[in-house]
């Protein structure tokens, strides 16, 4: 098992950088801490799911070693995701440790909000800067239909707890699907505006096969979503960029930012700055391709050490593909579901 060295304070030397062969600097990772979840959202999972056996899942210590290796290689932001990160036992211990990593500018979390009533305060105290919370409907019946098992009231209470905890920013993530919630664009925007929090609309991506619908029929383009918003609120494009792929706009005079993440209709790969690590320790170089490196094998090889882990990560940058090809018949499509990918 690779042991991470004690973190050293900066020496003033130039920080290393991870650069891929297209000249893109990778300074952001999405680290999946579990493939499990307390919901079964229709766009993310099938109804019957088999999850990874425990032996294949990285331990909290291994997750920490990976995060430390990346920060020593110049990564400045880590987003914890899954599956649902807050169902991983002892995840708060890991988060507390990550919050202290030298060189990390921001620790971020994406959650379904179901456990936020309990965890919002401790997450803020542990150093989490920003939280994204998924919310696809404000109607309890529909919320249940989309999440298959979730309860709307509990998630709304979790969002209130997150607002009270005082994170730097909060963002709602909504996937708009034709026939499910396509008449809720304006209510969701108004929910965010009323609370001065951000909202981002994510186009449904063809990651694995959805079991209860045909994605081609349900996917709504963000151009269409934006039209719905502009029918009531003129939007001004914003130059603000956060670490991720969202393009932001603003309603004049309001604090909330409205983000559009449009992987299906607008290829944003040219300025991709991120990679993902699945909870099996697979360093996934692109959301829409299978190019990957097995970091767990390095971590669990008694003959290899922390420097070998860093060397494996550095070498992997050469494998990062130029772009994804969603819905392009000339290219293989991902078979991984989103919970295995780390959203
Ligand atoms: N469980 C957490 C949550 O729901 O926020 C974190 C993991 S989830 C996989 C991360 C994000 O991916 C969520 O905002 C979810 O809506 C989004 N997502 C899942 N499957 C998707 C798909 N096929 N297309 C687009 N977004 C998807
Ligand atoms: Fe769970 Fe998030 Fe996937 Fe929904 S989107 S099933 S909450 S991991």
């Amino acid at each position: 098992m690779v042991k991470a060295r004690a973190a050293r304070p900066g020496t003033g030397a130039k920080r290393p950088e991870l650069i891929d062969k297209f000249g893109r600097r990778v300074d952001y990772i999405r680290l999946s801490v579990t493939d499990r979840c307390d919901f079964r959202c229709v766009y993310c999972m099938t109804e019957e799911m088999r999850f990874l056996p425990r032996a294949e899942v990285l331990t909290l210590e291994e997750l920490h070693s990976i995060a430390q290796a990346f920060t020593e290689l110049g990564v400045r932001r880590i987003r914890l995701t899954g599956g649902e990160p807050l169902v991983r036992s002892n995840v708060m211990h890991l988060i507390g440790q990550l919050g202290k990593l030298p060189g990390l500018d921001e620790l971020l979390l994406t959650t379904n909000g179901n456990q936020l009533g309990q965890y919002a305060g401790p997450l803020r105290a542990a150093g989490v800067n920003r939280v994204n919370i998924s919310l696809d409907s404000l109607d309890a019946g529909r919320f249940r239909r989309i999440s298959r098992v979730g309860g709307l009231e509990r998630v709304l209470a979790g969002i209130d707890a997150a607002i009270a905890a005082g994170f730097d920013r909060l963002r709602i993530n909504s996937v708009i699907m034709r026939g499910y919630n396509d008449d809720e664009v304006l209510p969701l925007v108004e929910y965010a505006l009323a609370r001065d929090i951000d909202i981002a609309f994510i186009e449904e991506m063809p990651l694995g096969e959805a079991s209860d619908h045909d994605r081609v029929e349900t996917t709504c383009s963000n151009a269409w979503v934006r039209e719905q918003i502009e029918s009531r609120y003129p939007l001004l494009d914003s130059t603000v960029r956060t670490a991720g792929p969202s393009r932001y706009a603003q309603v004049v005079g309001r604090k909330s930012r409205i983000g559009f993440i449009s992987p299906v209709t607008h290829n944003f790969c040219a300025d991709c700055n991120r990679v993902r690590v699945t909870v099996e320790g697979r360093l996934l170089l692109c959301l829409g391709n299978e190019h990957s490196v097995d970091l767990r094998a390095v971590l669990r090889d008694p003959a290899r050490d922390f420097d070998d882990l860093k060397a494996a990560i550095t070498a992997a940058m050469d494998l990062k593909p130029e772009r994804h090809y969603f819905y392009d018949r000339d290219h293989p499509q991902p078979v991984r579901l989103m919970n295995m990918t780390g959203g």
Side-chain angles (χ1 to χ4, degrees):
M1 155 77 202
V2 168
K3 282 267 176 266
R5 284 192 310 260
R8 285 192 307 257
T11 56
K14 191 175 175 302
R15 268 188 92 171
E17 292 186 333
L18 291 170
I19 311 269
D20 78 356
K21 63 176 192 275
F22 302 98
R24 296 173 295 192
R25 187 162 61 121
V26 172
D27 59 6
Y28 178 20
I29 59 167
R30 302 218 174 154
L31 184 59
S32 177
V33 300
T34 180
D35 61 330
R36 291 167 194 258
C37 186
D38 41 3
F39 289 1
R40 294 285 182 279
C41 303
V42 292
Y43 46 71
C44 176
M45 293 193 181
T46 52
E47 193 153 12
E48 297 299 324
M49 289 289 294
R50 278 233 229 116
F51 296 106
L52 292 167
R54 184 182 283 239
E56 289 179 25
V57 168
L58 296 180
T59 63
L60 296 179
E61 198 185 1
E62 289 170 333
L63 286 162
H64 182 268
S65 294
I66 288 180
Q68 184 177 337
F70 271 102
T71 52
E72 290 190 14
L73 290 167
V75 161
R76 293 168 184 279
R77 292 187 182 89
I78 298 178
R79 176 172 296 283
L80 301 175
T81 183
E84 172 49 42
L86 298 181
V87 303
R88 172 89 195 236
S89 48
N90 283 329
V91 74
M92 285 308 304
H93 176 72
L94 172 69
I95 293 174
Q97 299 292 311
L98 298 182
K100 295 184 206 137
L101 275 179
L104 195 64
D105 291 347
E106 283 192 304
L107 183 57
L108 317 167
L109 178 90
T110 303
T111 173
N112 62 21
N114 202 35
Q115 314 280 337
L116 269 182
Q118 178 188 350
Y119 285 117
L123 285 166
R124 185 63 184 128
V128 172
N129 302 90
R130 292 189 276 135
V131 178
N132 290 351
I133 306 159
S134 300
L135 179 69
D136 302 314
S137 177
L138 292 164
D139 173 275
R142 283 196 185 165
F143 186 90
R144 171 62 61 102
R145 180 178 175 219
I146 295 171
S147 63
R148 290 198 182 100
V149 285
L152 175 66
E153 287 308 318
R154 189 178 154 100
V155 169
L156 296 182
I159 296 172
D160 289 341
I163 292 171
F167 291 98
D168 297 348
R169 282 199 98 89
L170 289 180
R171 189 179 87 187
I172 301 297
N173 279 347
S174 302
V175 177
I176 300 297
M177 302 168 72
R178 196 148 332 272
Y180 283 81
N181 59 349
D182 51 328
D183 56 350
E184 288 205 61
V185 174
L186 281 172
L188 286 163
V189 166
E190 281 158 1
Y191 174 87
L193 290 177
R195 289 161 183 76
D196 285 341
I197 59 180
D198 299 339
I199 181 163
F201 293 95
I202 309 176
E203 288 176 346
E204 183 181 1
M205 287 176 275
L207 294 174
E209 207 164 313
S211 61
D212 83 331
H213 62 282
D214 179 348
R215 295 192 198 271
V216 174
E217 281 164 20
T218 51
T219 302
C220 291
S221 77
N222 266 339
W224 181 85
V225 169
R226 188 173 171 137
E227 265 172 41
Q228 311 308 301
I229 302 171
E230 292 196 305
S231 68
R232 186 161 314 161
Y233 301 104
L235 292 180
L236 277 182
D237 283 326
S238 159
T239 50
V240 167
R241 292 297 307 271
T242 50
S246 197
R247 295 280 185 278
Y248 284 99
Q250 223 149 354
V251 176
V252 181
R254 308 301 288 264
K255 285 195 185 145
S256 303
R257 299 189 296 221
I258 300 179
F260 298 97
I261 302 175
S262 317
V264 177
T265 59
H266 180 89
N267 188 289
F268 47 60
C269 303
D271 49 9
C272 182
N273 62 344
R274 56 204 162 273
V275 293
R276 292 173 160 77
V277 181
T278 73
V279 76
E280 302 156 283
R282 195 171 153 216
L283 168 55
L284 204 54
L285 293 141
C286 170
L287 180 64
N289 285 284
E290 297 302 332
H291 306 64
S292 69
V293 169
D294 184 359
L295 297 182
R296 189 183 64 195
V298 182
L299 279 163
R300 294 187 181 175
D301 180 347
R304 295 163 93 180
D305 64 12
F306 190 64
D307 286 332
D308 292 318
L309 179 64
K310 287 171 67 176
I313 293 170
T314 306
M317 293 304 122
D318 275 354
L319 298 178
K320 188 167 166 61
E322 188 171 15
R323 52 164 298 175
H324 68 70
Y325 291 92
F326 288 149
Y327 290 116
D328 182 336
R329 286 202 191 142
D330 294 336
H331 293 268
Q333 298 296 302
V335 288
R336 261 175 293 113
L337 286 162
M338 192 62 154
N339 76 302
M340 281 304 300
T341 303

